[in-house]
Amino acid sequence: MELVEERGDTYVLTEEGRSFVENAVAEWSDSNWTPATSDDGVRAGTYVTTIHARAVDPEFRATVISRHDRECPISGVDHLGLLDVAHVLSWSDYPEYRADLTNVLPLSKTHHAAFDRGLFTIGRDYRLLVNPSFETESELLQRTIIEQDGERVALPDESLNPEYLEKHNASLAWV
């Protein structure tokens, strides 16, 4: 199908592969799909793969989390195992800012994913900005994101570089 091609020792999506994935996600996310009612034809298994993992220095992570009172400033999640170090300017696009404390904040795993997908952002004035197309039936996401649109996020002053927020937000078509 020519959706993936080998480049050296890695495999990457071709343009056709990217298009296929984008179309599939768009189509399947709005479908009326229902799970199978029997085990016929359903399989699970294991496979071998190679991954490239990110390594965040434990001391850096602890510093980020402690600077923010050991909780996600959006959701209030305070379980250390459920907190990620989220980058305002992305890890992959801005490697020079990976360890910049004014480029990171602790977010719950769910809120980190929502931030990275552009479902919400934080304005230069530390106010929560919600993507107008973001819809959810999740009570948690409605309470912690949608209903907080325009509210000031409880962040220590100068904990995030306003220029980084501005640059990040400029990449979002809806801001």
Side-chain angles (χ1 to χ4, degrees), residues 28-143:
W28 296 339
S29 67
D30 290 332
S31 74
N32 292 326
W33 176 83
T34 56
T37 56
S38 74
D39 290 343
D40 297 340
V42 177
R43 294 189 173 41
T46 60
Y47 58 93
V48 176
T49 186
T50 301
I51 63 164
H52 296 274
R54 296 178 180 177
V56 175
D57 181 316
E59 189 173 328
F60 179 73
R61 182 179 189 280
T63 300
V64 171
I65 291 172
S66 67
R67 288 181 75 205
H68 295 271
D69 296 327
R70 303 172 55 92
E71 71 178 25
C72 171
I74 307 299
S75 66
V77 168
D78 62 356
H79 188 285
L80 295 179
L82 298 177
L83 294 176
D84 285 341
V85 172
H87 290 77
V88 174
L89 296 176
S90 76
W91 173 283
S92 56
D93 293 338
Y94 298 93
E96 66 274 24
Y97 300 119
R98 289 178 182 169
D100 184 337
L101 287 171
T102 65
N103 185 45
V104 294
L105 72 159
L107 292 177
S108 76
K109 294 186 178 293
T110 298
H111 290 78
H112 185 184
F115 180 81
D116 283 354
R117 284 165 181 73
L119 300 178
F120 77 91
T121 191
I122 299 170
R124 185 182 182 99
D125 59 355
Y126 289 174
R127 296 201 180 276
L128 190 75
L129 304 173
V130 180
N131 186 326
S133 67
F134 179 36
E135 295 179 2
T136 181
E137 293 186 26
S138 164
E139 184 271 327
L140 172 71
L141 295 176
Q142 286 184 20
R143 182 172 37 83

